[in-house]
Amino acid sequence: MSSRDALRITGGSVHDPANGVDGEVRDVCIEDGRIVERLPQGAPTLDANGMVVMPGGVDIHSHFASSSCNHARRLIPDEHAANPALAPELLDGETPARSGTGGTVPSTFTTGYRYAGLGYTTAFDAAVAPLTARHSHAELDDTPCVDGGIFVLMGNDEYLLRQIEAGERDRARDYAAWLLQSTGGYAVKIVNPGGVEAWKGGQRNVTGLDDAIGGRKVTPRSILETLADAANALRLPHPVHIHANNLGVAGNAATTLASMEALAGRRAHFTHLQFHCYGGGNGQPWSSAASKVIEYVNAHPEVSTDVGQVMFGPAMTITADAPVEYLLHKSSGRRWTNIDIELETGCGIVPLTYKDKAAVSALQWAIGLELFLLSQDPWRVVLSTDHPNGGSFLSYPALIQLLMDRSVRDERLKLANPRLLAGSALADGLAREYSLNEIAIITRAGPARLLGLTRKGHLGPGADADVTIYSRETDLAKMFATPRYVLKQGALIVEEGQLRRALRGRRLRVAPGYDPAVLPGLKRHFDAFSSVCFANYPVQNLPGDPVPVG
Amino acid sequence: MTASRAKVEPVTCLGCGCVCDDVNVQVSDGRIVAVTPECPVARTWFGDGSVPERVLRDGAAAELSDALTEAAALLTHSAGRVLVYLAPELSTQAQRTALALADLLRARVDSATSEPAAAGLLAAQRRGRATATLGEIRNRADVLLFWGVDPTTRYPRYLSRYALDPEGSHVPGGRRGRKVISVHVGEARGPAGAELEVTLDPADEIGALSVMRATVLGNALDPLPPALQGAARAAGELLSARYAVLVHEAEPSRLTPDPFRAEGLIALVQALNGPTRAALSSLRAGGNRSGAESVLTWQTGYPLAVDFAAGFPRYTPSTRGLASAGAGVTAVLIAGNTAGLGADASATLGRVPTVVIGPRASEAPFTARVAIDTGVAGIHEAGIAYRMDEMPLPLRPPLSGRRSAAGTLEALLTVVHQRLRERST
Ligand code: SF4
Ligand SMILES: [Zn+2]
């Protein structure tokens, strides 16, 4: 069957929350790779009787196609050796699939196949230095089955800091637009605003929103404001995507709340919130501050978030937040890679294992679940593990099971070190269980809406025919780990749980307009400080058409 | 009609791992006639841009389609016992296709750098590393230490363009704002004109690195033997840096350094990031050698010495390079330029049926079963290539009209795939 063909999926319980469909048995009709209202009688059918039908999964925040990931891959030959991946047997006539390796950071082809095998058909790499965008696009070319895009790191960018210092916020906005267009990016990303520049400059880090960065008139607050306003003024499909200051530090919930308040009234997405919800500090032990932070999120519709759940087991921390990784290296004694990237950002990598017997890991695990279970609006609290930082994307099914089944969750809690769990809402007992419809929201409909992807995350006419069909199982982790069928652009790519086709993914990027008056000054900046010619900076031959802005 | 004369700028040079992307190339009548700024390695690398355009079977001229058929027959017949070797001067695009062939053929794969660069790559797998892009070095480095290497000969513009002379955002004085430490290890000398020179006997090298690391960690060893006192002084200078950069040769050719050198340097630089900031700069040769590692890593998880025989990538770092063409390998595919192969490798390849696809394939120093000439990445062929600091840059070929390596490998992949399917049915 090619993507041109029509197909009627019949008999399944459809969960399409964006269109108000909650488990009704109805047909889903597909033609030319899109969902259509109806098909003529006699169109081929796919029998989904008794099964659960959802849109394809959308990963709003993952690290799978970047030069940082590639440096992380290099650090773990042992993990790769322990998890070889044969090339899947595709249908006759398909371009042969590729072999690879797994572990916390799988090789590119294997990443694409595994996302598809999980029923995820769209994913964004959440942290790409502009200078390395070309590399990310090359990796995305080798990551089949998912439509993909990149978020572009701007929160420690030298040119941007200079514009803020000079009070040139319009120019900062035009620069952000130029950067997105030049790198084929999808969203503006901030990581530890100002803190990475402080690390590179010898100041080590910033600690609060009003710290001066390198003795200049620039603060984390001014970076947050400038870029949040820029993304909103450019009417980007996704608002500014923020990894706040003080990640992973006891007592950081105060900074997180201050950052949210600093942007009150502005659309903003706060990512991997779990890593930013710690109480304690100043001599006090770590504790959960999840209730306080999620209370703010619940009350502020302009704020969205993804959780960044920690799952027990091996992980790989990969972040532009280089100062944090240095501390992690010192405290864990594990291997450490640091890369300072000129004029833009940094990169730090440390492999890590979260153990249920370790008090801080157990606290992190509990905080993530509290955020999910105390959130009142699933449309604004997306499922993520910050793959592979909190755990692999392959652990999403186990996480879904924890959310849907209190008994499994409580059993797991009993195994966790209770030392820091005093005052944790989870330890006190949270009865909530997610419904299938809520799972459909936090794994596809919600992230698609937050990303402004009008053709993703739903099954209404005009949507991309990315569909995942699960057979019902009492073991929910098993059900979500092995979808029976997955369709991408209308083509069956997974049949009976086996990958049968490996379509090329499409590129999701934006190309917002900017005032060309910004260019001469930018060129002078490049000529003075960059090791790459201005003319060579933009990525050429980007695939596909940009997603419209506005 | 007058001769056409065109200036193409800026061109990306793959003459060494600096991958300068600001090179002006003048073309006249399809020949390169001038390359500026002046760089002896670049001048040699670009030459006049002419390359042979032959297709050979057993040394005799052949049709391209016949040659591809023959190559595919040889490789598929040997499937499971093929070595695919990524030689220099390929675009990343071509390297990706060569790896697809290796996967399909269940081949062993290695690249031109696995032999010389392995010590550093393997040490970085054990420890990680602290490094920086070249522009960061230019903008921040106020103390530069050269460990037994003077970049001038093999990397002519490294000092003038990136590390030493230019004014940086945090080093407005350029060279005047930077202190240079030159460490000579036996015959391997650092650059002249340094503020501090340290001379080490090769036998003391690893001891010196340990002393420096201990000093940096605050465990000063007293009293030190005279041979190591200079090292301790150098460590003191590094500690006084705002941003220290240590430069080493990551692809040593003539002198074989101590295998623990790379690991010692990595550990020293990591330790320096406690009291101050520091980065290790690894000098790497050109021709998109680092790109081969990058592609190998993203497609297989490993940077070198990969074996697909089991149907998936296995890592065999103790069996590296063309030496592994000995036991068990019954056919070899070399993608890239064979010019840098040593005499030993060429002798080995003379005994095993070999397919060469790449620039100057027809001039390989052995008789290949099939040799298909292509253009050179960056001179005739577009795409991307990686700098020594693994930054990807676009190639802007000043000449065109040659057979492309990426396209030829793609065509071979198609034929190989067809044959394998026919065999399996
Ligand atoms: S330094 Fe290297 S890359 Fe730069 S121009 Fe010379 S040979 Fe080319
Ligand atoms: Zn992340």
Side-chain angles (χ1 to χ4, degrees), chain A residues 384-464:
Chain A
S384 73
T385 59
D386 189 13
H387 163 85
N389 282 284
S392 163
F393 64 79
L394 293 176
S395 61
Y396 294 170
L399 174 53
I400 291 171
Q401 184 184 40
L402 292 172
L403 297 177
M404 292 187 71
D405 188 334
R406 180 179 181 183
S407 63
V408 172
R409 191 163 72 220
D410 286 349
E411 284 308 306
R412 200 73 193 83
L413 178 63
K414 282 184 201 153
L415 300 175
N417 185 324
R419 189 160 62 81
L420 298 175
L421 297 184
S424 145
L426 187 75
D428 293 348
L430 285 173
R432 179 172 176 192
E433 292 185 331
Y434 269 62
S435 66
L436 272 179
N437 222 47
E438 285 175 317
I439 295 299
I441 296 172
I442 65 172
T443 57
R444 38 269 277 171
R449 183 177 286 180
L450 295 172
L451 287 159
L453 291 168
T454 54
R455 282 161 51 179
K456 301 288 184 195
H458 73 102
L459 298 174
D464 288 341

Side-chain angles (χ1 to χ4, degrees), chain A residues 472-486:
Chain A
R472 288 182 195 274
E473 306 259 359
T474 39
D475 181 342
L476 291 161
K478 187 166 167 234
M479 168 175 162
F480 282 98
T482 48
R484 190 77 171 271
Y485 301 102
V486 179

Side-chain angles (χ1 to χ4, degrees), chain B residues 253-266:
Chain B
S253 58
R254 285 157 297 152
L255 304 155
T256 312
D258 192 300
F260 294 112
R261 174 195 282 182
E263 186 141 8
L265 284 166
I266 286 174

Side-chain angles (χ1 to χ4, degrees), chain A residues 115-191:
Chain A
Y115 259 126
L118 211 57
Y120 269 70
T121 48
T122 304
F124 287 87
D125 190 291
V128 173
L131 199 52
T132 64
R134 198 169 262 122
H135 175 95
S136 277
H137 287 290
E139 282 203 24
L140 284 173
D141 286 343
D142 282 353
T143 308
C145 303
V146 287
D147 292 347
I150 59 176
F151 298 167
V152 180
L153 292 161
M154 300 190 193
N156 291 277
D157 185 282
E158 178 65 23
Y159 184 81
L160 187 100
L161 299 188
R162 287 178 185 222
Q163 302 319 307
I164 294 174
E165 196 172 14
E168 295 280 359
R169 295 212 176 183
D170 288 353
R171 195 176 296 152
R173 180 202 60 223
D174 286 329
Y175 176 58
W178 177 82
L179 261 186
L180 283 171
Q181 185 168 122
S182 302
T183 56
Y186 191 79
V188 175
K189 176 74 182 298
I190 302 179
V191 168

